[in-house]
Amino acid sequence: MVPTDHLELTTAVGQLGEELRALADGADPARARVLTRWIGIGQLSLGNYDDARTFLRQSLDLAATLGNTHAVVATGLNLGDAHRYAGEVQDADALYRSALGTARQQHPELVDYALQHTGKALMERGDLAGAQAHLQEALRLRIAKEDAELVESTQAALDRVELLLAKTAASPAPAPSDWSSRWTSWLQSHTTTRTPARWAEDFTALRDGTRALTAHQRVHPRHLRHLRDQSLPATLIAAMAEEAEKAVATDGYLHNGKWNAAVGDAANRFAEQVDLASVVARSTGLAVEQPHTAVYIVYTEEGQFLDFHVDELGFGEANLILCLWHERPSGAPLVSATAFINADGYLTCELAPGDCVVFDGALTPHGRTPLSAGESVTLISFGFRARDEALRAPTNLPSAPQ
């Protein structure tokens, strides 16, 4: 979902928010349900996924309280999209399937919509057979509705799935949905970012497994130091650092031991003025679309770290982490760094403000080493999808070692 006029949509969402705030608490729950839904859809289109999830969850709860099952299905699909766009594949899947089940039982007129959303999500996850089955059923229902626009939308999605199936016809079935979590569990049972001093002695046990995994990387980790001097305006970086600090203080949430917060206007201005897709393409050779998601990441406490993991396959084929702020205590023997496991060893990148690191988060184990006393780090992470759709559904992926 991409707004045709970012400023106009931002204004409209703000006006809906003013109307919502003007409602007395509990005075008109039906109107509050409508307002929170449309605010959530607007925030989703603007790329503010945390705000989108907050408002859509409120709308879904109101719909359930009111007994409006039609709205429960429709809003559940919207909330599923918000989780999907944010890379939260399992949460999105649960919402889509719940909406589809309710539609089949109580609202047959909405079944084609639920099938369409679920089918697209399955396609992005690489479950092409499941996507094809859902979209074919949606197409049959929409042909019966005699709605040419809906038929065209589903046919376009189905054509894309069938193209991907044709490209992977000779390949084994896609990896299971819990593939990423199994790899993460195996990695964390064999090593940790918490004790870098032990890496050398631990790596022998990891070598064969990680070589099989990283052989499929769409992007190899690249530390881009020169961008802070050439391509990235310092004023925009400083504005994002300030925005991230405020966002974490007001709406931050803990995720895997670090603070996350939704991006706002400063990050949107940065993405509009800097061609991040070209930065990724020039540094890695992978042609990508402009970022489809972003999130602020903040570390503030001594000892805080992010253990080795791999991201969900649906997050994107390339990640770009940009350092916005790094306070380094003088005299500290070690400073916190972004860390990767490659086929031949560990790689650490100490990011200064304006430095970037580009990598394939789904197929490259990564994390952050612990902070020293007095140290703090503020980052923004962007997710990108490859222009070549065949790269979005990698095949022959190795299972996590036993």
Side-chain angles (χ1 to χ4, degrees):
M1 297 174 68
V2 180
T4 56
D5 189 323
H6 192 280
L7 181 60
E8 183 179 5
L9 181 57
T10 301
T11 301
V13 170
Q15 291 170 344
L16 291 170
E18 291 175 3
E19 182 180 348
L20 179 63
R21 287 189 291 274
L23 288 178
D25 288 344
D28 191 350
R31 183 58 181 166
R33 179 197 68 76
V34 173
L35 290 171
T36 50
R37 183 185 177 208
W38 284 108
I39 292 170
I41 291 172
Q43 295 287 12
L44 176 62
S45 300
L46 292 169
N48 302 326
Y49 303 129
D50 190 47
D51 287 341
R53 291 193 296 270
T54 297
F55 282 102
L56 289 169
R57 172 54 66 184
Q58 291 176 9
S59 184
L60 183 59
D61 290 344
L62 285 167
T65 300
L66 292 166
N68 187 339
T69 53
H70 189 284
V72 167
V73 173
T75 310
L77 294 174
N78 300 143
L79 184 56
D81 287 344
H83 282 283
R84 171 175 139 224
Y85 289 6
E88 298 168 348
V89 177
Q90 293 179 344
D91 290 332
D93 181 71
L95 285 158
Y96 290 141
R97 295 189 184 281
S98 176
L100 179 56
T102 303
R104 288 193 189 280
Q105 294 173 10
Q106 301 184 51
H107 293 282
E109 74 279 7
L110 296 179
V111 170
D112 60 310
Y113 291 96
L115 288 166
Q116 175 95 347
H117 284 256
T118 307
K120 285 186 175 182
L122 291 171
M123 175 176 61
E124 291 179 4
R125 283 171 45 189
D127 183 356
L128 300 180
Q132 184 183 44
H134 282 74
L135 291 170
Q136 285 175 338
E137 184 181 355
L139 184 62
R140 290 193 295 271
L141 292 171
R142 290 185 163 184
I143 290 172
K145 283 185 173 182
E146 298 182 347
D147 189 318
E149 186 175 353
L150 293 178
V151 169
E152 181 181 4
S153 172
T154 302
Q155 187 63 64
L158 188 57
D159 288 345
R160 181 174 296 182
V161 169
E162 291 175 348
L163 176 63
L164 293 172
L165 280 167
K167 290 181 178 180
T168 59
S171 302
S177 59
D178 60 351
W179 180 87
S180 301
S181 61
R182 290 182 181 180
W183 262 103
T184 294
S185 296
W186 182 80
L187 289 163
Q188 293 179 359
S189 69
H190 285 75
T191 190
T192 176
T193 62
R194 184 181 293 181
T195 55
R198 293 184 52 196
W199 283 356
E201 63 185 80
D202 288 346
F203 187 68
T204 301
L206 294 168
R207 182 178 293 116
D208 292 341
T210 51
R211 279 180 176 168
L213 175 64
T214 57
H216 294 267
Q217 286 172 335
R218 281 79 53 108
V219 172
H220 298 286
R222 293 287 306 277
H223 187 178
L224 309 179
R225 295 182 178 86
H226 63 284
L227 292 179
R228 64 175 181 245
D229 301 320
Q230 300 177 20
S231 304
L232 307 184
T235 53
L236 294 180
I237 293 174
M240 287 191 290
E242 182 178 355
E243 180 176 78
E245 182 180 6
K246 292 178 180 178
V248 167
T250 57
D251 298 306
Y253 55 97
L254 280 173
H255 180 65
N256 290 340
K258 56 183 170 41
W259 287 102
N260 282 13
V263 300
D265 291 340
N268 292 330
R269 285 195 300 272
F270 177 82
E272 290 169 358
Q273 295 184 39
V274 178
D275 189 352
L276 290 171
S278 293
V279 171
V280 174
R282 287 197 308 268
S283 60
T284 67
L286 178 69
V288 295
E289 298 174 350
Q290 292 298 335
H292 70 97
T293 187
V295 64
Y296 287 129
I297 303 170
V298 177
Y299 299 82
T300 57
E301 301 172 13
E302 180 182 0
Q304 202 169 13
F305 72 103
L306 176 61
D307 223 340
F308 285 117
H309 65 285
V310 290
D311 297 334
E312 291 282 353
L313 287 167
F315 182 78
E317 290 66 63
N319 298 27
L320 184 149
I321 291 180
L322 168 63
C323 181
L324 306 176
W325 172 259
H326 192 168
E327 184 173 356
R328 304 169 182 234
S330 58
L334 294 172
V335 294
S336 179
T338 303
F340 303 94
I341 301 176
N342 272 326
D344 298 315
Y346 295 90
L347 170 68
T348 58
C349 300
E350 295 181 10
L351 302 178
D355 279 358
C356 302
V357 62
V358 183
F359 61 102
D360 183 345
L363 300 176
T364 308
H366 58 284
R368 172 162 285 276
T369 59
L371 269 66
S372 299
E375 190 176 9
S376 64
V377 179
T378 302
L379 311 166
I380 184 169
S381 176
F382 294 95
F384 301 80
R385 294 191 173 110
R387 291 191 180 275
D388 183 351
E389 293 178 359
L391 295 175
R392 300 183 185 181
T395 57
N396 299 316
L397 290 176
S399 298
Q402 299 298 318

